[in-house]
Amino acid sequence: PEFFDVVDVKNPYMKDQIGKVKSDLAHQQWENLSLAFENWKKDSVISKLEIVAGSPNLEDMVFCANPFIMWKDESGNPFVLLSNMQFENRQSEVDIFEEYFNQQSIPTIRISPNIKIEGNGDLIPHHGKRTLWMGYGYRTDIDVANLLTEILNAHIIPLKLVSEHFYHLDTCFCIIDEDHVVICKEAFDEESYQKIKAVFSFVYQISLQEAKNNFALNSLVMTSLSGEKFAILPLG
């Protein structure tokens, strides 16, 4: 987080925040998150934890869900689909992650720069299925859905985002397991909401206030090898 800052306005939360980052607090928050992942590693929820160094003038690189998505082919071999970021000053992040994955001998794929896509920010895997839920409307183009079906060999379910406060799917849609999901209904158009209801047996709703003011849905749920559930979520 050494280069984290607010230098422009990319979303409503950044308005009137340029130059107001409390660096000490940001570093402590990063350390707390890093420790949570370290503990997940000790509990065998994850097997490996890598720290990619920040880079000068890439203040948003800490949001590393956005520049790529890692997926696996049908044989279980990992590969990475790189993003085409909405904002030009974030595109250099993608180049750094591409170099990192190449050093790890993990294949990377790029698509036409004319199509915008923002990695795990807008692509969320459905546990137990070869399916990805795809948010579109702000940072990811709807036109990428068919291409993703071919590249990832996965079923893609597009969801239209209709609120500027929920510009990424991972701000308003959190899968708990194969049958349970937590959402902010106001983030979606009616058709998308009906898609969610049709697939999940249990759809829990978080209030607009909780989702917008406390980032309640910008959380991560994982399952250990033993089947135990773990989650990281913001402290409201």
Side-chain angles (χ1 to χ4, degrees):
E2 58 268 38
F3 302 108
F4 174 62
D5 200 357
V6 177
V7 301
D8 56 12
V9 177
K10 296 184 176 73
N11 60 61
Y13 305 104
M14 300 173 77
K15 185 178 180 181
D16 299 325
Q17 297 302 313
I18 294 176
K20 296 183 179 180
V21 169
K22 298 177 181 178
S23 295
D24 291 345
L25 176 60
H27 277 70
Q28 185 58 59
Q29 290 171 335
W30 188 93
E31 292 292 344
N32 292 343
L33 183 62
S34 178
L35 178 61
F37 278 104
E38 287 283 2
N39 288 334
W40 271 8
K41 184 178 177 183
K42 293 177 183 177
D43 291 330
S44 299
V45 181
I46 57 176
S47 59
K48 188 176 182 181
L49 178 62
E50 293 283 335
I51 306 297
V52 178
S55 181
N57 302 316
L58 296 181
E59 66 283 345
D60 291 323
M61 194 173 164
V62 291
F63 303 110
C64 59
N66 308 145
F68 63 90
I69 179 172
M70 180 174 283
W71 197 240
K72 290 184 178 181
D73 62 24
E74 289 187 319
S75 299
N77 301 309
F79 65 94
V80 169
L81 176 65
L82 298 166
S83 298
N84 292 324
M85 308 295 286
Q86 180 72 28
F87 294 95
E88 185 176 352
N89 63 349
R90 291 204 65 187
Q91 189 58 36
S92 294
E93 300 172 30
V94 180
D95 301 331
I96 291 176
F97 282 111
E98 180 179 31
E99 180 180 355
Y100 166 77
F101 286 117
N102 287 338
Q103 291 173 351
Q104 301 291 319
S105 298
I106 297 175
T108 57
I109 297 173
R110 283 186 180 264
I111 62 173
S112 168
N114 297 323
I115 302 176
K116 299 305 178 185
I117 177 175
E118 295 211 352
N120 273 123
D122 275 329
L123 291 167
I124 298 180
H126 192 135
H127 300 291
K129 301 178 183 290
R130 197 167 180 84
T131 295
L132 284 161
W133 295 83
M134 185 189 89
Y136 73 93
Y138 289 95
R139 304 294 178 82
T140 294
D141 296 335
I142 180 61
D143 296 339
V144 79
N146 290 336
L147 184 59
L148 290 176
T149 299
E150 298 177 10
I151 294 175
L152 303 179
N153 188 25
H155 179 46
I156 307 297
I157 306 178
L159 300 174
K160 186 175 182 179
L161 303 176
V162 296
S163 169
E164 64 176 354
H165 287 92
F166 306 112
Y167 47 87
H168 277 144
L169 186 60
D170 67 0
T171 64
C172 54
F173 180 90
C174 181
I175 295 177
I176 300 174
D177 57 29
E178 193 169 336
D179 299 313
H180 299 73
V181 67
V182 189
I183 70 167
C184 177
K185 183 181 178 181
E186 289 84 353
F188 305 97
D189 68 359
E190 183 61 25
E191 181 180 354
S192 297
Y193 175 59
Q194 293 302 325
K195 288 180 184 178
I196 296 169
K197 287 180 62 178
V199 173
F200 288 95
S201 301
F202 300 90
V203 179
Y204 302 105
Q205 294 188 31
I206 292 293
S207 71
L208 177 62
Q209 180 179 357
E210 284 288 314
K212 187 170 70 172
N213 297 342
N214 297 327
F215 297 97
L217 293 171
N218 197 204
S219 303
L220 181 62
V221 178
M222 300 281 284
T223 305
S224 69
L225 295 176
S226 64
E228 187 176 1
K229 289 288 182 183
F230 291 80
I232 293 179
L233 62 159
L235 179 64

